[in-house]
Amino acid sequence: MNNKCNIIFVTGGVLSSLGKGITAASVATILKHSGYKTTMLKIDPYLNVDPGTMSPLEHGEVFVTDDGAETDLDLGHYERFLNTNLGKKNNITTGQIYSAVIKKERQGKYLGQTIQVIPHIVDEIKTAIYKASKGFEFLIVELGGTVGDIEGAPFLEAVREIIFENDRHQTMNIHVTLVPFLKAAGELKTKPTQHSVQELRRIGIQPHMLVCRCEKNLPEQLKKKLAFSCDVPIDAVIQAKDAKTIYAVPMEFLQDGIFEPLAKHFKLDKTRPDMAKWSLLVENLLKPRQKLKLAFVGKYLKLKEAYKSLLEAISHSGAKHSVKVEIVWCDSEDIEKVGASEILGECDCVLVAGGFGDRGIQGKIEAIKYARTNDIPYLGICLGMQLAIVEYLQNVVGVKDATSVEFDENTKEPAIYLIEQFISTTGEQQFRTTKSPLGGTMRLGAYDFTAKDGTILAKAYKEKKQSERHRHRYEVNPVYKDRLQKAGMIVSAHSGKLIEAVEIPSHNWFVAVQFHPEFTSSLEYPNPIIDEFIKAGLDGK
Ligand code: GLN
């Protein structure tokens, strides 16, 4: 089989959390900036069909794509590095692969055959990989997990077969591995890498490049040793020291000479990447000229990974304005205990992020009230918008019992409610009730909205018609719209008939949006409304 797209497989050895995702995204960024049409694919060997129903504490954030896929958070890194839109076809899981094969089996598509991991599962994986490569010059595939994991085996077999059936200059394996520093011996050790490469070769995959995570510089003689024992060209042994920011990694790889072995292997005709704008932004991140204190009110504060995209989006804006945004973590349950001013007092701006369930709700409402009554710039995202409306209804409009049906199913004042019928991103009529299964029944993906003239939102987005991504079950109840507007909280955008954003014009800067702006922010193009929020925080200092 001949496929025109070059494919790079990024595998991991020794242990997890070595930064395969950032390595894959950095290699993709280098190729993109060299002028190649580049895309990415994440393979997750777990059995869930998608991470949508996993707890953020278990898995970190669930990233949402334009086409409404709930994906691994690595896809967020890919989009932020490449400034591109990925989708359903860019994240595959064991759950998806097996579901597809079993569905075909039930439909009688393999009639007469015994369905087996080889060839049926492996073929399904290969089809998914080739599908993601269509129309591109480079596909970077990151395989989750570590070489040797049982659940990764069918995927590695698919990798081996794809390498086998393509021209050897069209595919590449980059193995990300650990070169630990042993304090007692005072040395960097290569043995774990050698073992991990042996395991790869046992499966039939010979790495073409090693990316070595290490705490100290990898000396030339160790690179030689690794090259010799693992059969990898010496210039293709790349060091990956801990970086101060993930966005510095492509620059550090380039400094260590990653471009030359890539160019040699793929016979690249284009010149070195143009990273001028990128390196300026990285410079701003590393040496910011200003400072800002942002109160981040949330409930999953033990695992910051749950807010990955939002934190990155804030740092994109920080890079643009050369500001160090200091995040002050404000646990909503602590606010309930000691009051908002105690916890938010020193901050320049307040952010209430998205969330699910009723724990910590009152603390969030108090944080919103504090920002509103003290004229502190406020941005509410998703649940942070729903609660801004609840707070306004309770404390300004006088609807004391206003709440969301998420917290009280039988409330008499359902300010935030469940709409049972809606049109999905693909134009299909969808139904959901309180009894619907939780997997895949939210409003997901990008929806258009129109910003009202003269609002902060319209100013931020320039074009009136825009789209942003959603991930929520509940909506603002339009029954309360007139009362809200009369009392000074205006609806600044609609998405179809649904209320998409609100603002308080008499306030210094108060914006709350139903969508998740953080999903469309990238280092080179920060999200407009988050950027305005950061600017408002700076202006108010
Ligand atoms: N829990 C709310 C809902 O489902 C908000 C979700 C969110 O903040 N992502 O509508």
Side-chain angles (χ1 to χ4, degrees):
M1 181 173 211
N2 198 12
N3 187 298
K4 288 219 182 59
C5 181
N6 297 309
I7 306 181
I8 299 178
F9 296 101
V10 179
T11 54
V14 186
L15 40 85
S16 59
S17 305
L18 286 182
K20 276 197 310 281
I22 300 301
T23 300
S26 299
V27 171
T29 301
I30 290 168
L31 290 164
K32 186 195 157 190
H33 285 249
S34 307
Y36 294 98
K37 227 178 142 201
T38 305
T39 188
M40 304 191 69
L41 167 67
K42 172 76 195 282
I43 295 178
D44 284 306
Y46 49 66
L47 276 165
N48 303 58
V49 170
D50 62 43
T53 51
M54 288 188 206
S55 155
L57 293 172
E58 173 98 6
H59 190 262
E61 169 187 271
V62 175
F63 186 76
V64 179
T65 56
D66 258 4
D67 65 0
E70 294 180 280
T71 70
D72 185 76
L73 57 76
D74 270 320
L75 254 82
H77 286 310
Y78 302 169
E79 287 203 353
R80 289 187 282 274
F81 273 68
L82 293 184
N83 181 38
T84 189
N85 277 343
L86 301 172
K88 288 195 169 86
K89 65 175 189 301
N90 302 96
N91 188 195
I92 56 174
T93 66
T94 298
Q96 282 171 26
I97 296 292
Y98 274 77
S99 304
V101 170
I102 290 168
K103 190 170 162 204
K104 282 191 202 160
E105 187 274 334
R106 292 289 85 188
Q107 288 168 341
K109 296 239 167 90
Y110 307 109
L111 224 47
Q113 296 177 27
T114 307
I115 313 306
Q116 292 176 304
V117 173
I118 300 175
H120 302 96
I121 294 294
V122 171
D123 281 352
E124 193 68 32
I125 297 169
K126 282 162 60 184
T127 305
I129 295 174
Y130 283 127
K131 188 172 158 198
S133 76
K134 287 260 143 32
F136 289 90
E137 291 171 291
F138 273 97
L139 167 68
I140 321 297
V141 182
E142 178 197 348
L143 175 57
T146 307
V147 168
D149 295 346
I150 291 177
E151 56 267 46
F155 294 103
L156 283 167
E157 172 59 12
V159 172
R160 188 194 68 76
E161 290 185 20
I162 289 179
I163 292 176
F164 175 76
E165 62 196 15
N166 282 279
D167 181 284
R168 69 191 178 90
H169 291 290
Q170 277 196 310
T171 58
M172 180 187 236
N173 169 240
I174 298 181
H175 194 52
V176 183
T177 171
L178 179 71
V179 179
F181 179 74
L182 264 199
K183 257 205 211 114
E187 277 179 10
L188 286 162
K189 291 294 189 186
T190 63
K191 196 64 86 189
T193 300
Q194 294 184 42
H195 281 301
S196 173
V197 169
Q198 272 169 21
E199 181 63 14
L200 254 186
R201 289 160 126 184
R202 192 186 61 75
I203 300 163
I205 300 171
Q206 165 62 44
H208 305 92
M209 180 181 284
L210 297 176
V211 168
C212 306
R213 256 325 264 279
C214 45
E215 280 173 52
K216 296 187 181 298
N217 283 337
L218 204 59
E220 199 59 19
Q221 110 263 6
L222 272 201
K223 283 192 171 183
K224 259 191 204 148
K225 189 172 171 185
L226 281 166
F228 193 71
S229 58
C230 301
D231 249 337
V232 171
I234 177 147
D235 65 349
V237 181
I238 306 295
Q239 77 174 26
K241 280 209 311 185
D242 301 346
K244 289 207 178 74
T245 153
I246 52 174
Y247 301 104
V249 175
M251 317 300 303
E252 294 188 3
F253 281 178
L254 282 169
Q255 243 162 36
D256 208 44
I258 200 172
F259 190 73
E260 286 68 28
L262 284 173
K264 231 185 281 168
H265 184 93
F266 289 106
K267 302 187 173 152
L268 298 186
D269 48 6
K270 299 204 169 118
T271 47
R272 284 179 68 86
D274 174 6
M275 303 290 285
K277 181 178 174 195
W278 189 280
S279 47
L280 202 76
L281 292 168
V282 170
E283 187 67 21
N284 282 353
L285 277 175
L286 296 178
K287 294 190 192 113
R289 288 189 294 274
Q290 311 173 70
K291 230 175 153 185
L292 177 74
K293 268 193 176 174
L294 182 150
F296 193 114
V297 185
K299 125 182 134 163
Y300 306 111
L301 300 186
K302 277 194 206 80
L303 189 75
K304 313 281 190 291
E305 294 279 287
Y307 299 110
K308 193 92 215 161
S309 293
L310 194 43
L311 294 175
E312 293 301 327
I314 291 167
S315 82
H316 299 153
S317 188
K320 181 174 161 191
H321 303 289
S322 191
V323 188
K324 161 134 192 63
V325 185
E326 189 192 316
I327 305 285
V328 181
W329 294 100
C330 305
D331 188 317
S332 43
E333 287 177 307
D334 290 345
I335 296 178
E336 285 169 12
K337 280 178 221 141
V338 299
S341 64
E342 186 75 14
I343 296 201
L344 309 177
E346 302 279 287
C347 294
D348 302 309
C349 49
V350 176
L351 173 71
V352 175
F356 293 84
D358 60 0
R359 198 159 58 79
I361 288 305
Q362 201 46 43
K364 289 185 183 180
I365 290 181
E366 277 169 40
I368 295 167
K369 184 177 175 194
Y370 180 80
R372 180 176 63 75
T373 51
N374 290 285
D375 230 16
I376 301 168
Y378 172 77
L379 179 63
I381 294 180
C382 208
L383 183 64
M385 180 236 199
Q386 298 174 352
L387 293 179
I389 287 169
V390 167
E391 191 277 323
Y392 210 75
L393 282 170
Q394 288 180 356
N395 299 326
V396 182
V397 184
V399 186
K400 292 275 169 277
D401 296 326
T403 187
S404 165
V405 297
E406 182 175 11
F407 321 131
D408 179 2
E409 232 182 88
N410 304 313
T411 174
K412 284 194 201 64
E413 301 286 1
I416 310 299
Y417 75 146
L418 197 63
I419 50 163
E420 300 203 338
Q421 279 183 38
F422 69 107
I423 308 289
S424 74
T425 33
T426 48
E428 288 156 41
Q429 180 90 276
Q430 298 228 348
F431 299 95
R432 58 184 170 189
T433 68
T434 44
K435 309 267 172 316
S436 297
L438 293 183
T441 56
M442 283 192 268
R443 181 143 87 103
L444 286 168
Y447 284 83
D448 287 346
F449 68 86
T450 317
K452 196 172 162 200
D453 282 339
T455 57
I456 297 177
L457 204 69
K459 184 178 152 224
Y461 281 89
K462 313 252 176 350
E463 309 277 311
K464 263 172 72 176
K465 214 171 164 70
Q466 284 285 343
S467 89
E468 287 284 11
R469 298 180 194 169
H470 289 247
R471 182 173 189 260
H472 56 100
R473 199 163 275 120
Y474 302 91
E475 303 285 348
V476 181
N477 190 343
V479 162
Y480 297 89
K481 183 175 152 186
D482 282 349
R483 275 178 277 171
L484 282 169
Q485 301 219 100
K486 269 194 203 113
M489 175 178 267
I490 60 154
V491 173
S492 54
H494 281 93
S495 169
K497 287 205 174 92
L498 300 172
I499 292 173
E500 188 79 346
V502 292
E503 294 178 18
I504 303 176
S506 62
H507 186 280
N508 179 13
W509 203 97
F510 191 105
V511 177
V513 293
Q514 183 62 82
F515 52 77
H516 285 272
E518 67 271 26
F519 289 142
T520 54
S521 186
S522 65
L523 178 64
E524 292 170 295
Y525 298 93
N527 177 276
I529 198 66
I530 294 177
D531 197 47
E532 283 297 319
F533 173 56
I534 297 299
K535 278 202 300 208
L538 279 173
D539 288 348
K541 272 171 69 90

